[in-house]
Amino acid sequence: MNFALSIEKNARHLLNEETPLQTVMEEAQRLTAQHFSLHSSCGGTKGRHWRMQLYVPIYVSSFCVNQCLYCGFRSPHSIQRKHLSVEETVGESQYLLQRGFKSQLIVAGESPKVSSTYLAEIIRHLRLIDVVPSIEVAPMSVEQYEEIVAGGCHGITLFQETFDRTLYAKYHPAGPKSSYEWRVHALERAAEAGMPRIGYGVLLGLAEPQRELITMMEHAAKMTAKYPDRTFAFSLPRIHEGPTGFAIPYQVTDELFVRMYCALRIVFPKAELVLSTRETPELRNRLASLCITQISAESSTEPGGYVLNTQKKSDSAKQSGGNFNGQFLITDNRSAEEIADWLTQYGHDVQW
Ligand code: SF4
């Protein structure tokens, strides 16, 4: 049996409703403890504690030339757009560092304002203040990624959104993102440029979820074989509510969502599994006890949402009032301290 077939067979079995979810969850939890526990005594079959990395996104620009039908930032959506200068971004970063967050993810829409030189400069500044920065931005060339890696970038996250070519074309009708090929090979270019951490993701809700997960696994498996010295990571962002006029075509239940994350853990035992604040506190707690190793906290999806926007604390009120300028709605509104407390009480070693 070839490699791709064995991934597909294993994943199909794990995703099959007839495979008891309890069995899948227990195996995912065992493997996570085995590979991520800081204490060898917790790494055996009974261990269920491990190190949990907190991280926070910094949105630096909501300008975007793309028209992704599912996104609140899409052009020409009428939102108040903002682009942070390098100095403003460093201000946001310093504030978050004082709060304890060392792991920070720089996020931006696709725009000429977000060049590799701009990103590399931000990253150099953040490295100087002891932040560990990563990026989640539009696909770039090998040379552009090299510039960013040379600045000290720790990792990249790049969601393919959907691996279904037909649906991809439908959801991305215009703009540079309409090129499936340019996007689907971006993580290979980043790896070629020397990026230490490579982060995959699909946006759940856009296409048949099981097929999406398996295709992502097959892509990642080839990369893990080619670049065994890198850290690999996966996230499964799920659309809960699209912009006005966008109906979610493939709803993913909580049970399937949990099963998919656990399947990722079993197929990629050493990969970082990442969970965002799109999900409820209850579901995040459940997944954090099963297989997640990196979790965001207190996220703002608005540029300047931590310092410049002094009304940040009223984000959730603004969101429900329809006055929202972020990319998606935050569902877990607990403070970072509350999340860290829960994780610590559960038994995890929380790293900021
Ligand atoms: S998903 Fe990203 S690329 Fe697409 S419109 Fe939103 S910000 Fe732009």
Side-chain angles (χ1 to χ4, degrees):
M1 185 180 292
N2 73 31
F3 195 43
L5 267 180
S6 83
I7 292 242
E8 166 143 21
K9 189 175 175 208
N10 194 7
R12 285 251 172 248
H13 169 71
L14 295 166
L15 294 172
N16 189 331
E17 280 180 8
E18 289 180 14
T19 306
L21 180 56
Q22 186 62 29
T23 310
V24 176
M25 291 192 305
E26 284 173 8
E27 179 62 359
Q29 189 182 55
R30 185 189 71 76
L31 286 168
T32 313
Q34 180 183 333
H35 291 285
F36 291 89
S37 172
L38 297 180
H39 312 289
S40 55
S41 60
C42 295
T45 51
K46 290 182 181 159
R48 58 189 195 105
H49 312 136
W50 48 86
R51 71 109 175 95
M52 181 70 74
Q53 178 74 55
L54 292 183
Y55 76 96
V56 66
I58 302 180
Y59 278 67
V60 297
S61 184
S62 51
F63 284 85
C64 190
V65 295
N66 289 310
Q67 297 185 16
C68 313
L69 299 189
Y70 47 82
C71 176
F73 277 1
R74 78 179 158 93
S75 171
H77 231 202
S78 162
I79 61 167
Q80 200 180 339
R81 294 183 191 269
K82 176 139 187 79
H83 177 84
L84 301 189
S85 66
V86 173
E87 293 70 30
E88 287 172 329
T89 305
V90 173
E92 295 276 302
S93 174
Q94 278 172 327
Y95 167 79
L96 292 166
L97 188 61
Q98 281 162 11
R99 296 285 319 279
F101 289 105
K102 281 186 76 168
S103 180
Q104 301 181 3
L105 178 66
I106 303 298
V107 187
E110 184 158 7
S111 147
K113 293 169 181 280
V114 185
S115 67
S116 53
T117 304
Y118 163 80
L119 292 168
E121 198 180 342
I122 287 174
I123 286 162
R124 272 194 298 275
H125 278 84
L126 267 50
R127 277 292 189 191
L128 286 175
I129 57 173
D130 213 19
V131 164
V132 181
S134 297
I135 54 165
E136 185 183 331
V137 299
M140 294 189 176
S141 65
V142 174
E143 294 72 28
Q144 289 169 319
Y145 283 135
E146 281 172 346
E147 187 180 0
I148 291 167
V149 170
C153 189
H154 169 68
I156 180 172
T157 296
L158 195 138
F159 302 148
Q160 180 58 28
E161 318 296 15
T162 172
F163 284 95
D164 182 313
R165 285 174 185 268
T166 307
L167 289 174
Y168 186 94
K170 179 179 157 194
Y171 295 130
H172 307 100
K177 195 167 172 180
S178 55
S179 171
Y180 180 98
E181 288 298 323
W182 180 245
R183 192 168 190 87
V184 83
H185 296 298
L187 290 176
E188 290 166 48
R189 294 194 297 276
E192 195 182 330
M195 193 70 80
R197 176 190 181 278
I198 305 291
Y200 280 86
V202 281
L203 186 53
L204 296 180
L206 296 183
E208 201 274 310
Q210 289 91 342
R211 184 69 253 162
E212 293 281 85
L213 189 74
I214 292 168
T215 309
M216 179 172 72
M217 286 176 170
E218 289 168 345
H219 274 261
K222 286 183 199 146
M223 287 277 283
T224 57
K226 188 170 178 186
Y227 295 100
D229 58 330
R230 311 301 164 85
T231 299
F232 285 84
F234 297 94
S235 352
L236 295 175
R238 180 167 60 153
I239 312 179
H240 290 285
E241 193 180 329
T244 307
F246 182 79
I248 302 166
Y250 293 84
Q251 295 287 351
V252 175
T253 64
D254 284 357
E255 292 312 287
L256 177 57
F257 188 62
V258 168
R259 188 183 280 276
M260 291 173 82
Y261 261 115
C262 290
L264 272 170
R265 167 60 63 232
I266 295 169
V267 175
F268 295 93
K270 296 180 181 174
E272 300 282 356
L273 295 189
V274 185
L275 186 60
S276 83
T277 46
R278 290 172 187 248
E279 304 300 336
T280 62
E282 296 71 27
L283 186 56
R284 289 196 352 131
N285 289 353
R286 182 180 175 195
L287 278 163
S289 71
L290 292 173
C291 58
I292 296 300
T293 55
Q294 299 189 347
I295 196 161
S296 58
E298 277 196 43
S299 305
S300 169
T301 63
E302 265 187 88
Y306 301 107
V307 179
L308 294 180
N309 176 3
T310 53
Q311 293 178 325
K312 192 255 165 183
K313 292 296 175 196
S314 65
D315 262 357
S316 52
K318 283 196 298 177
Q319 288 168 8
S320 58
N323 212 7
F324 174 51
N325 290 316
Q327 190 185 27
F328 58 83
L329 298 182
I330 304 300
T331 309
D332 187 348
N333 284 301
R334 289 176 294 176
S335 70
E337 288 74 17
E338 284 176 283
I339 293 171
D341 281 352
W342 187 89
L343 293 167
T344 304
Q345 277 169 25
Y346 176 78
H348 287 326
D349 294 293
V350 178
Q351 297 184 346
W352 288 71

